Amino acid sequence: MAVTLTALQVMQDAPVIPVIVLHDVAHAVPLARALVAGGIRMLEVTLRTPVALACIEAIAHDVPEAVVGAGTVRSAADAQAAALAGARFAVSPGYTPAVGRACHDLGLALLPGVATGSEIMLAQEDGYTELKFFPAVQAGGLGMLKAWQGPFGDVKFCPTGGVQPANAPEFLALANVACVGGSWLTPADAVAQGDWARLTQLAREAASLEKPR
Ligand code: 3PG
């Protein structure tokens, strides 16, 4: 049985959590190994494709150096399926108490998605203080995170959505940002072509981004 993680551990392992969409189970293990080789081991595999759970299972089984989590967790059933497949953490695009309870009961670290003050308060009521800000750029970006520093000074965010290498440093420089999330580490064309060296290079660059602690 794997040791239970905290959401803060998930966020502080590296400056970037890759948001991964997989269409072929055969890609899962080499993709995970490529990211780990570049220094990124917290891997969010989104539950957006029919093979996502099988991919999580393959990574959990074959790449012990990686810590695989499930993204796009939208229901208690998603959380249960993800945990059963071997996910060690969950990321959700929004927050519901049902998802919060399920992850708590499963011992699955959860980064709940929020985009408003009310959603932050709802997640906080259930004990969640490490949150994903989604979709970050579209929902207010840096200005929103700065505005939240006053009333929600005890919350740490992982902005995701529209974050790229060019703007990641500005997000990481904020005191209430623990890490960022993004899909740029796993470009669809590189994954389709099996260009794992490119993923390793992107991971290396992401891992070297500065997070002032
Ligand atoms: C997502 O859920 O797809 C993530 O927010 C990724 O967004 P990005 O493609 O803008 O990085």
Side-chain angles (χ1 to χ4, degrees), residues 5 7 15 20 46 64 72 82 88 93 103 106 109 122 133 152 187 196 201:
L5 288 173
I20 300 163
T46 56
T72 323
R88 306 269 312 275
C103 289
L106 290 160
L122 193 60
F133 174 28
F152 302 116
W196 309 124
Q201 182 56 29

Side-chain angles (χ1 to χ4, degrees), residues 50-159:
V51 296
L53 288 168
C55 290
I56 289 171
E57 206 169 338
I59 295 169
H61 188 263
D62 290 352
V63 195
E65 323 82 86
V67 180
V68 65
T72 323
V73 169
R74 295 183 299 173
S75 64
D78 282 348
Q80 279 151 9
L84 202 62
R88 306 269 312 275
F89 65 94
V91 184
S92 58
Y95 182 71
T96 67
V99 167
R101 263 196 310 276
C103 289
H104 176 269
D105 293 349
L106 290 160
L108 210 50
L110 171 66
L111 301 185
V114 298
T116 67
S118 299
E119 291 160 8
I120 295 171
M121 288 163 64
L122 193 60
Q124 276 196 302
E125 274 182 13
D126 291 348
Y128 291 100
T129 51
E130 284 86 31
L131 309 176
K132 163 175 163 164
F133 174 28
F134 177 78
V137 168
Q138 298 86 340
L142 295 167
M144 191 73 142
L145 285 159
K146 285 178 192 162
W148 281 341
Q149 283 173 344
F152 302 116
D154 53 343
V155 176
K156 296 285 183 212
F157 295 96
C158 171

Side-chain angles (χ1 to χ4, degrees), residues 133 136-137 141-142 145 159 162-163 167-174 177 180 211:
F133 174 28
V137 168
L142 295 167
L145 285 159
V163 181
N167 61 5
E170 290 179 288
F171 281 100
L172 289 167
L174 296 179
V177 169
V180 300
K211 172 56 210 162

Side-chain angles (χ1 to χ4, degrees), residues 19 44 46 48 72 132 134 138 160-164 181-184:
V19 177
E44 176 189 337
T46 56
R48 293 183 200 176
T72 323
K132 163 175 163 164
F134 177 78
Q138 298 86 340
T160 306
V163 181
Q164 296 286 332
S183 61
W184 82 85

Side-chain angles (χ1 to χ4, degrees), residues 11-78:
M11 278 181 157
Q12 290 186 333
D13 201 63
V16 184
I17 297 176
V19 177
I20 300 163
V21 180
L22 280 159
H23 296 279
D24 185 342
V25 183
H27 291 155
V29 167
L31 175 145
R33 288 192 176 132
L35 294 175
V36 169
I40 301 285
R41 59 184 196 138
M42 293 284 164
L43 311 181
E44 176 189 337
V45 176
T46 56
L47 301 183
R48 293 183 200 176
T49 63
V51 296
L53 288 168
C55 290
I56 289 171
E57 206 169 338
I59 295 169
H61 188 263
D62 290 352
V63 195
E65 323 82 86
V67 180
V68 65
T72 323
V73 169
R74 295 183 299 173
S75 64
D78 282 348

